[in-house]
Amino acid sequence: MKNRKRQIASAILVLSFVCMMSLSAIAGISDSVKIESWGNAVQKYVDNPMGENDTVKQSLAPADNVIILPQIEIDQAKDFYISAGYSDADAQEAAIAYVKEINTLYQEAIKHGYAVTDDEISAHIEQMKVDFQTAENKDEIYDFINSFENEEAYWDFQFEMLKKDLPIQRYVADKENEYINRNTPNNLSAGANSVEYSDKILEIQEEWVEQFEVIKDDAENRYEYKIE
């Protein structure tokens, strides 16, 4: 259960960065029935935008020692896990863990200077629209988008998600690059095209995955959490 939770939680994180869901990367969720199920479940958050939720607004502010976990975010994550085949109890557990992780990473991101403006989010969305055209899972992406009332409704929904996801994306990307640069031996840099170099970078990237779990655990231990 723990590995499965981590796998799908990671997929959701990628999802938010790439297309709201990296559908093809999620085991058992890429068939059209489940895509449609998740798309239909999301509609309640389109009709009642998360950006208008007072608790979500409060959770976007810098936190001291207590991080607020909005119930609406837990409900949305739970809907996803249920679409992925989880039982109600497992979906609830996974959803709370996921929302805890996302809000912790968001707080760490803005604490380290990764807050974003509405204009930056809009620019990111325009780039996403371009990237979607050449994505390997383009058909799945548009199957999901088509489950919305219209494409504009999807992008409005994505805009609200990116208020937290974009700072996290940038923060995590920089942390990963720092880790890789710090752990790449200097004598390999000159041979950037060598098999030895490629193998070493792959090894470091795999180590980063484990290090990232440590970073997240350490961060979560510094906060208390309150569901509202």
Side-chain angles (χ1 to χ4, degrees):
M1 173 65 186
K2 182 177 180 181
N3 290 337
R4 189 181 178 209
K5 256 197 317 194
R6 178 173 295 176
Q7 178 186 20
I8 296 191
S10 298
I12 300 180
L13 191 58
V14 172
L15 144 167
S16 303
F17 301 157
V18 180
C19 71
M20 173 56 204
M21 284 221 177
S22 184
L23 294 167
S24 63
I26 303 173
I29 196 67
S30 62
D31 60 274
S32 60
V33 175
K34 290 184 178 179
I35 293 173
E36 182 178 1
S37 174
W38 169 236
N40 291 338
V42 165
Q43 293 310 305
K44 70 184 75 171
Y45 308 107
V46 176
D47 298 335
N48 299 285
M50 295 182 71
E52 297 178 7
N53 181 279
D54 289 339
T55 306
V56 172
K57 290 179 182 178
Q58 189 176 354
S59 73
L60 288 167
D64 293 323
N65 299 319
V66 179
I67 291 178
I68 294 172
L69 306 182
Q71 184 64 54
I72 191 173
E73 292 183 358
I74 294 172
D75 293 342
Q76 179 179 295
K78 182 179 178 180
D79 286 341
F80 169 76
Y81 284 112
I82 288 175
S83 295
Y86 278 50
S87 68
D88 188 85
D90 286 347
Q92 177 72 10
E93 179 185 354
I96 292 173
Y98 167 70
V99 172
K100 181 179 180 181
E101 176 178 311
I102 290 301
N103 280 277
T104 302
L105 287 171
Y106 170 75
Q107 288 296 331
E108 289 295 292
I110 62 173
K111 183 185 297 183
H112 288 86
Y114 289 86
V116 296
T117 64
D118 287 354
D119 286 345
E120 287 178 292
I121 295 174
S122 295
H124 184 80
I125 284 176
E126 291 306 310
Q127 184 58 52
M128 289 174 69
K129 292 177 181 179
V130 173
D131 293 342
F132 281 7
Q133 300 305 314
T134 56
E136 291 183 3
N137 59 339
K138 178 180 177 180
D139 290 343
E140 290 173 315
I141 291 172
Y142 280 97
D143 280 346
F144 181 70
I145 291 176
N146 289 337
S147 67
F148 287 74
E149 181 179 357
N150 52 54
E151 188 169 339
E152 183 180 359
Y154 168 77
W155 291 116
D156 288 345
F157 174 73
Q158 184 63 262
F159 186 93
E160 297 303 327
M161 297 294 292
L162 284 166
K163 288 180 179 179
K164 288 182 180 177
D165 293 337
L166 188 54
I168 296 171
Q169 179 184 15
R170 293 177 174 180
Y171 171 66
V172 172
D174 281 353
K175 294 291 285 187
E176 179 178 7
N177 288 333
E178 289 172 9
Y179 183 85
I180 291 173
N181 292 335
R182 187 169 63 249
N183 289 279
T184 301
N186 292 331
N187 62 351
L188 287 181
S189 299
N193 294 321
S194 70
V195 173
E196 180 184 9
Y197 179 87
S198 298
D199 288 346
K200 184 60 179 178
I201 293 299
L202 181 59
E203 177 185 333
I204 295 171
Q205 288 173 331
E206 291 173 348
E207 291 171 354
W208 160 251
V209 174
E210 297 302 317
Q211 180 61 28
F212 185 44
E213 294 301 319
V214 173
I215 290 172
K216 289 187 293 185
D217 289 343
D218 286 348
E220 289 184 6
N221 287 334
R222 295 198 299 272
Y223 294 99
E224 296 179 1
Y225 298 87
K226 181 169 61 172
I227 296 174
E228 291 188 358

